[in-house]
Amino acid sequence: RNPTATTSLAMRTATVLAAACLASEALAFAPPAALPATRAHAPRHGAARALRMQTKSDTIEQIKVGEGKEEATEVKTAMDNKIGVAVRTRKAVQTEPEVNFYARTAMRVGALKETSPLLTSTMPGNKGFDPLGFAKRRDLLLQYREAELKHARLAMLASVGWASSELLHPKLVALLGKDPNSEASWLQPGASGALEKAPSVLNGGLEYVPPLAWAALVMATGIVEIWRMLSISGQPNAFEPGNLGFDPLNFYGMADDAERRSLQLKEINNGRLAMVAIAAFAGQEFLADSSIVNIAPQFFTAGPLANIGSVGDAIAQYSGLLSCESGIVYCSEGQGALDAMMGGASPETAEYLQEVLSD
């Protein structure tokens, strides 16, 4: 072998080993600042990333929690709304007025409109009768009830007065010393020729009523109507129909709500019957040409009121107020009345009366 080549190879190998040793020593004794910087970079980046991930996770969790709270709030609100709706619905069901049986029946047969206030009206005597649909609103319904009560009250008075006039008028005329069959009686002749029918539009006889009486009646009625219109003009939907404050015996004032409703029901029922009765009186007398007391004696002269025609005689007999001796009524036997008056007086008074009458 060539010694020179061997030596050269050994020198190269030693040089490489020496360089490796130096490099190893350099790495071993190198300043630690460089390595921590390299080593710390990755941990700080990782920590920040971890922190960001943790923060993001916390944010996501907070968002989820917030969303959960919002969802819970929305659910609670929805539940509260449902509960509120249920409560309001229950209250509405409880406070909704009950449909009147008669009005509902009339609506089913087509005699009442579905929008009529009669369906839910609690007025006494509500039978759902409004086939022409006049009462379209509550204020109109109250006005029609007011008018119905006025006519009902007039009809009750008229139905009693009609029959009473035919029964009592002849007796009253006779007590006044006049002929019941003369023109002094306002009764009108029937088919028999006797004065027996009450004066009316169909029977005639209203022309005998003094004009002053008509004027007084119209004036009194107008005053009451104007006063009533002014008193309810400010509350067209809240006034009580027919309540004029007339209660001299305080029947209505002492009654409770149930008793007042009962009184109102009795009044409207009797008033409706009276309106039918007075129309029947006028129609029957016009068609039969006779008084109602003779057409239906079972209700008057031959019934419970059979003795009502003798009331005048009974008063005159038992009280003396309508007798000749009282001096209140006209008597054809004036001397008899004078003797009766003087009979109970002292001699001086009787002599004085005799002198005055003789003069």
Side-chain angles (χ1 to χ4, degrees), residues 12-352:
R12 291 175 183 170
T13 304
T15 303
V16 173
L17 291 174
C21 289
L22 290 174
S24 175
E25 288 295 332
L27 291 174
F29 292 99
L35 291 176
T38 304
R39 291 175 183 175
H41 185 283
R44 283 202 303 270
H45 180 71
R49 183 178 181 183
L51 180 60
R52 286 196 298 272
M53 292 179 65
Q54 181 66 30
T55 303
K56 184 177 181 181
S57 176
D58 294 341
T59 303
I60 293 173
E61 185 176 355
Q62 290 176 1
I63 293 173
K64 289 181 178 180
V65 171
E67 292 177 352
K69 290 181 178 180
E70 291 178 359
E71 291 177 358
T73 303
E74 292 177 357
V75 171
K76 184 176 182 300
T77 304
M79 291 179 65
D80 292 342
N81 291 336
K82 290 180 179 179
I83 293 173
V85 171
V87 171
R88 287 194 298 272
T89 304
R90 185 166 60 252
K91 289 182 178 179
V93 170
Q94 292 177 351
T95 58
E96 183 179 356
E98 184 179 356
V99 178
N100 183 273
F101 169 77
Y102 300 100
R104 179 175 56 191
T105 304
M107 183 188 67
R108 288 178 177 175
V109 300
L112 188 67
K113 295 182 179 180
E114 297 180 357
T115 57
S116 174
L118 285 173
L119 287 171
T120 55
S121 175
T122 58
M123 289 193 305
N126 178 15
K127 305 301 181 186
F129 183 78
D130 187 19
L132 299 181
F134 288 144
K136 299 178 181 179
R137 305 185 307 272
R138 174 174 171 77
D139 58 335
L140 291 177
L141 176 60
L142 295 179
Q143 293 176 18
Y144 281 119
R145 173 50 68 91
E146 174 91 1
E148 182 184 24
L149 284 171
K150 290 177 182 178
H151 286 82
R153 291 165 179 173
L154 286 175
M156 286 188 283
L157 292 173
S159 59
V160 174
W162 189 298
S164 298
S165 66
E166 295 178 348
L167 289 172
L168 298 178
H169 195 70
K171 299 289 184 180
L172 295 175
V173 171
L175 286 175
L176 294 176
K178 298 182 180 180
D179 185 3
N181 292 320
S182 66
E183 292 184 356
S185 175
W186 288 358
L187 295 181
Q188 299 303 299
S192 63
L195 299 178
E196 56 181 279
K197 297 190 299 182
S200 67
V201 175
L202 296 179
N203 293 339
L206 295 179
E207 63 274 11
Y208 296 110
V209 179
L212 186 61
W214 287 117
L217 179 62
V218 172
M219 184 178 296
T221 304
I223 293 174
V224 174
E225 286 295 320
I226 293 174
W227 169 79
R228 181 59 175 169
M229 289 174 60
L230 293 177
S231 65
I232 66 176
S233 59
Q235 45 181 358
N237 292 309
F239 71 95
E240 184 178 353
N243 187 4
L244 303 179
F246 181 77
D247 186 21
L249 299 180
N250 201 28
F251 287 150
Y252 195 77
M254 295 186 299
D256 56 18
D257 292 340
E259 292 173 344
R260 289 185 178 184
R261 185 175 180 83
S262 176
L263 291 173
Q264 292 173 358
L265 181 61
K266 292 175 181 177
E267 181 184 33
I268 193 64
N269 285 341
N270 285 278
R272 288 169 177 171
L273 179 60
M275 286 188 283
V276 175
I278 197 65
F281 287 1
Q284 286 182 315
E285 290 198 357
F286 177 74
L287 296 175
D289 196 16
S290 181
S291 64
I292 192 66
V293 295
N294 293 330
I295 295 173
Q298 65 274 16
F299 294 118
F300 304 103
T301 57
L305 302 178
N307 296 321
I308 192 171
S310 303
V311 171
D313 295 337
I315 295 176
Q317 179 179 355
Y318 293 105
S319 68
L321 293 176
L322 299 180
S323 63
C324 291
E325 288 78 4
S326 66
I328 297 176
V329 298
Y330 172 80
C331 295
S332 58
E333 299 178 357
Q335 188 62 42
L338 180 60
D339 294 340
M341 293 174 62
M342 292 183 175
S346 62
E348 293 80 6
T349 303
E351 183 179 358
Y352 172 73

